[in-house]
């Protein structure tokens, strides 16, 4: 049977008509692709699937934050400082209290900080949608009377930005570096991996803190010359670290792919190294890349919170979860416990990170059955 | 073995050199020294200060002086340490120079005061991590699929997901204010160490619990365990004597990263609980622009992490003779 098929395809290749017929026939069969298979398995994994839905909603919500009728996250109101969470006051009409006149860009900047163009449009959209309505302090207020709910939601944007920046860096640098190293092999591979080893053995948190302080001294120079503020530099620094594991993993995968037949075939047909890399290797390591990405992102979010907590990451007036946690811990005192300052940011951070971890584990099981059950 | 150690040493030297030179040149590349104040100093005073810290030298000479071990200063200027001993020698001689902010202290003095505290905290949290992690890991492996297993695994995922400062803040509210079991902050007695140690070790306990569970499950399904059961050994003996040794291998290899993590994690925990350890000093030095102190701590921790990883790799071969160090 197999021999017969082999011989028929052999004759087919010499006859263009027969070849066209076989090609059309083969198109009718649809293989079960890795992605379909993985998607099916992921859907069956209830916790991972729920986590994914949660994260999708979360991302959407944080992107659309300026559209939501929340009080400004930075507006202080000492009359209502340390208000306990309550739903009693459902909402009020006081957002951007500039009377009846048209809201200028300066008004928005005064209420927030220098928002991006898109965010300003969204704030205007919000005014069109909700008027001057804003929610009451459902989750309470902090020591300066700023709304906790609003701060948490706005803070989520920072976490997502950091996560995206780190993910992009680890994708671009890590995948290319690892793939190149694995593909070249021999001495170059050895050298490149040694460099990764060296970087691995550096306690990065110290170096990063050190770097950020140094950069902090020169921030005027950076801002003028390169247009980078501390936040951008912070994103870059984080991204520059988190590609190491990715590079290692990708290299391992590439080493095993390299000796497979289809790569050899491509080489025989005269494909250049770059083409083999981009067209054949990269798509094949993609599944493992996605798995590591979902495991990297919570680590990065944690790192951002960690640095912001230490006062070295995001700076006020911008909000981040690390800053919220820092405020909450600073407010702990034996006389009166403002539990909402600690509990709500912790719940937000914890649930997001938990969902990311569960999704990462689920994706790993779905995409790479060989790794299942390993931690 | 000797070859492995030798190679490790060579890579260690390279790593250390990279860390040292990168941080040194970055530090010097920054315009404005750590002594710039709001008020302009008189030129003579400024020159004096600069001369004291060798900031008036060309860059390469400063670097050579910092690395040591040769004293390039013609006047053999020596900085007096806190104990009155003269300390000079550069990093290679184990001397990190004078602190820029704490004028009367050398970096070595500060580290000598604070490192034992950090080390003790790290030890306590490592013990927490091992005790909690291994016991829960074994429990959930033995009761695989039960409610206990599920609960423990969920707790482990939670422990990994939550940042330690969040856990710390919960525990402070709970065990310090609501149920006053522990002192708020500070350092001194064993009661001061338990809560910070627990917060610091919890994440690693979670990882260790996962690793133990996986390792135990793998070992428990093997033939020699069945044989042990078949010859009538008590279940406890089978687990403790036969399964545990193999099942803990993944944990051992994790100890290196765990130690590194505990060392760095203590930055935050020391700050929350106001523990005067190296981490607190490092954060302060970073915010105060005390460059020599920051560099000294960075280099010290590089050495510690590297040494820890090497020791762990060595102990790994002792536990599992099949692993060949030459390959790694």
């Amino acid at each position: 049977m197999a021999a017969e098929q082999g011989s028929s395809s052999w004759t087919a290749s010499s006859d263009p008509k027969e070849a066209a017929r076989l090609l059309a026939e083969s198109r009718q069969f649809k293989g079960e692709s890795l992605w379909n298979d993985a998607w099916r398995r992921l859907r069956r994994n209830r916790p991972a699937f729920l986590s994914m839905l949660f994260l999708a909603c979360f991302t959407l919500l944080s992107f659309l934050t300026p559209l939501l009728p929340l009080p400004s996250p930075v507006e202080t109101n000492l009359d209502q400082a340390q208000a306990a969470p309550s739903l009693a006051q459902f909402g009020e009409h006081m957002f951007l209290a500039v009377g009846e006149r048209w809201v200028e860009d300066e008004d928005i900047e005064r209420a927030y900080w220098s928002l991006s163009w898109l965010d300003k449009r969204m704030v205007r959209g919000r005014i069109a949608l909700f008027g001057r309505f804003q929610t009451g302090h459902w989750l309470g207020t902090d020591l300066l009377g700023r709304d906790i709910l609003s701060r948490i939601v706005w803070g989520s944007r920072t976490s997502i930005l950091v996560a995206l920046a780190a993910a992009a860096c680890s994708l671009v640098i890590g995948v290319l570096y690892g793939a190149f190293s694995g593909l070249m092999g021999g001495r170059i591979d050895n050298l490149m991996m040694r460099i990764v080893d060296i970087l691995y053995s550096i306690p990065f948190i110290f170096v990063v803190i050190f770097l950020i302080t140094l950069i902090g001294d020169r921030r005027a120079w950076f801002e003028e010359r390169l247009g980078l503020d501390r936040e951008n530099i912070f994103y870059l620094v984080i991204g520059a670290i988190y590609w190491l594991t990715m590079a290692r993993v990708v290299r391992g995968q590439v080493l095993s792919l390299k000796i497979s037949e289809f790569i050899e075939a491509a080489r025989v047909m005269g494909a250049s190294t770059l083409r083999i890399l981009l067209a054949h290797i990269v798509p094949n390591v993609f599944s493992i890349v996605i798995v590591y990405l979902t495991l990297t992102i919570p680590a990065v979010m944690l790192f951002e919170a960690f640095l912001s907590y230490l006062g070295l990451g995001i700076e006020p007036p911008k909000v981040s979860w690390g800053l919220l946690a820092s405020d909450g811990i600073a407010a702990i005192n034996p006389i009166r416990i403002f539990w909402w300052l600690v509990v709500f940011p912790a719940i937000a951070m914890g649930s997001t990170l938990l969902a990311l971890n569960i999704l990462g584990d689920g994706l790993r099981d779905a995409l790479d059955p060989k790794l299942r059950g390993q931690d | 073995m000797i070859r492995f150690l030798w190679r490790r040493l060579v890579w260690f030297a390279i790593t250390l050199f990279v860390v040292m030179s990168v941080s040194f040149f970055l530090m010097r590349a920054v315009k404005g020294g750590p002594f710039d104040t709001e008020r302009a100093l008189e030129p003579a005073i400024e020159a004096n200060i600069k001369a004291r810290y060798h900031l008036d030298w060309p860059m390469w000479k400063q670097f050579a002086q910092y690395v040591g071990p040769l004293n390039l200063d013609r006047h053999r200027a020596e900085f007096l340490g806190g104990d009155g001993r003269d300390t000079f020698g550069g990093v290679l001689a184990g001397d990190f120079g004078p602190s820029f902010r704490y004028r009367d202290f050398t970096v070595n003095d500060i580290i000598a005061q604070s490192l034992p505290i950090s080390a003790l905290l790290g030890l306590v949290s490592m013990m927490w991590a091992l005790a909690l992690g291994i016991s829960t890991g074994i429990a959930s492996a033995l009761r695989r699929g039960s409610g206990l297993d599920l609960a423990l695994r969920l707790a482990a995922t939670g422990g990994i997901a939550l940042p330690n400062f969040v856990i710390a803040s919960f525990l402070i509210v709970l065990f310090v204010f609501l149920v006053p079991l522990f002192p708020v902050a500070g350092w001194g007695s064993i009661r001061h160490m338990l809560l910070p140690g627990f917060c610091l070790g919890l994440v690693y306990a979670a990882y260790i619990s996962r690793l133990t569970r996986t390792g135990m499950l793998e070992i428990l399904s093997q033939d020699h365990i069945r044989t042990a059961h078949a010859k009538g050994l008590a279940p406890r003996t089978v687990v403790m004597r036969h399964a545990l040794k193999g099942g803990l291998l993944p944990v051992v290899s994790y100890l290196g990263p765990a130690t590194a993590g505990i060392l760095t994690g203590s930055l935050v925990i020391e700050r929350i609980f106001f523990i005067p350890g190296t981490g607190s000093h490092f954060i302060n030095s970073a915010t105060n622009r005390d460059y020599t102190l920051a560099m000294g701590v960075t280099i010290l921790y590089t050495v510690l992490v590297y040494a820890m990883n090497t020791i762990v790799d060595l102990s790994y071969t002792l536990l599992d003779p099949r692993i060949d160090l030459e390959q790694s």
Side-chain angles (χ1 to χ4, degrees), chain A residues 107-119:
Chain A
D107 296 325
I108 297 180
E109 288 203 0
R110 208 174 304 128
Y112 294 94
W113 51 88
S114 50
L115 294 176
S116 73
W117 174 83
L118 188 64
D119 287 347

Side-chain angles (χ1 to χ4, degrees), chain A residues 251-262:
Chain A
R251 174 206 171 237
Q253 189 80 353
V254 167
L255 276 185
S256 67
L257 275 176
K258 196 170 71 170
I259 48 172
S260 60
E261 276 120 14
F262 73 98

Side-chain angles (χ1 to χ4, degrees), chain A residues 194 198 201-203 205-207 209-211 213-214 217-218 221 302 305-306 309-312 322 325 329 332-334 337 342-343 346 349-350 353-354 357-358 361 364 373-375, chain B residues 11 14-15 19 23 26-27 29-31 157-158 161-163 165-166 169-170 172-173 177-178 210-211 214 264 267-268 271-272 282-283 286-287 289 291 294-295 297-298 301-302 306:
Chain A
R194 285 300 154 197
I198 288 183
S201 51
I202 295 173
I205 216 148
F206 290 86
V207 180
I209 291 175
F210 191 53
L211 267 182
T213 348
L214 288 181
D217 282 354
R218 266 195 129 171
W221 186 85
L302 216 68
F306 185 86
Y309 173 76
L310 293 176
L312 294 164
I329 293 172
I332 292 177
N333 66 66
I337 296 168
V342 176
V343 169
M349 205 183 306
L353 292 172
L354 198 64
N357 275 301
I358 293 174
D361 287 350
R364 186 183 51 193
Q374 292 178 12
D375 287 313
Chain B
W11 282 111
I14 297 175
T15 310
V19 172
S23 45
L26 274 173
M27 185 169 99
V30 177
K31 268 207 190 93
T157 314
L162 278 172
F165 51 87
V166 169
S169 55
F170 272 128
I172 288 176
V173 169
F177 295 132
L178 295 183
R210 275 186 170 193
L211 288 171
T214 329
T264 50
L267 291 186
V268 165
R271 194 173 153 111
I272 295 178
F282 179 70
I283 299 290
T287 40
R289 290 191 282 171
Y291 293 146
M295 264 182 84
V297 176
T298 306
Y301 275 45
T302 311
Y306 204 94

Side-chain angles (χ1 to χ4, degrees), chain B residues 124-156:
Chain B
V124 171
S125 59
M126 190 53 117
M127 272 164 15
W128 267 118
L130 284 175
L132 267 180
I134 292 178
S135 55
T136 55
I138 293 175
S140 69
L142 292 181
R143 301 257 182 285
R144 185 185 191 177
S146 70
L148 179 74
D149 180 25
L150 196 72
L152 286 177
R153 278 167 67 198
L154 207 67

Side-chain angles (χ1 to χ4, degrees), chain A residues 36-111:
Chain A
N36 281 336
D37 190 38
W39 175 242
R40 207 159 30 84
R41 256 182 290 190
L42 187 65
R43 249 186 333 193
R44 238 182 298 151
N45 185 345
R46 187 65 63 81
F49 193 66
L50 287 179
S51 303
M52 199 171 70
L53 287 182
F54 171 77
L55 288 170
C57 295
F58 166 77
T59 313
L60 193 71
L61 199 73
S62 88
F63 178 71
L64 295 178
T65 300
L67 269 179
L68 303 175
L70 296 167
S72 162
V74 291
E75 201 177 27
T76 56
N77 181 359
L78 291 176
D79 295 338
Q80 283 186 317
Q82 307 142 27
S86 80
L87 284 174
Q89 193 186 21
F90 185 76
E92 54 200 338
H93 292 268
M94 62 176 297
F95 175 69
L96 282 180
V98 288
E100 287 307 306
R101 87 182 154 84
W102 168 249
V103 175
E104 305 281 344
D105 272 2
E106 290 88 69
D107 296 325
I108 297 180
E109 288 203 0
R110 208 174 304 128

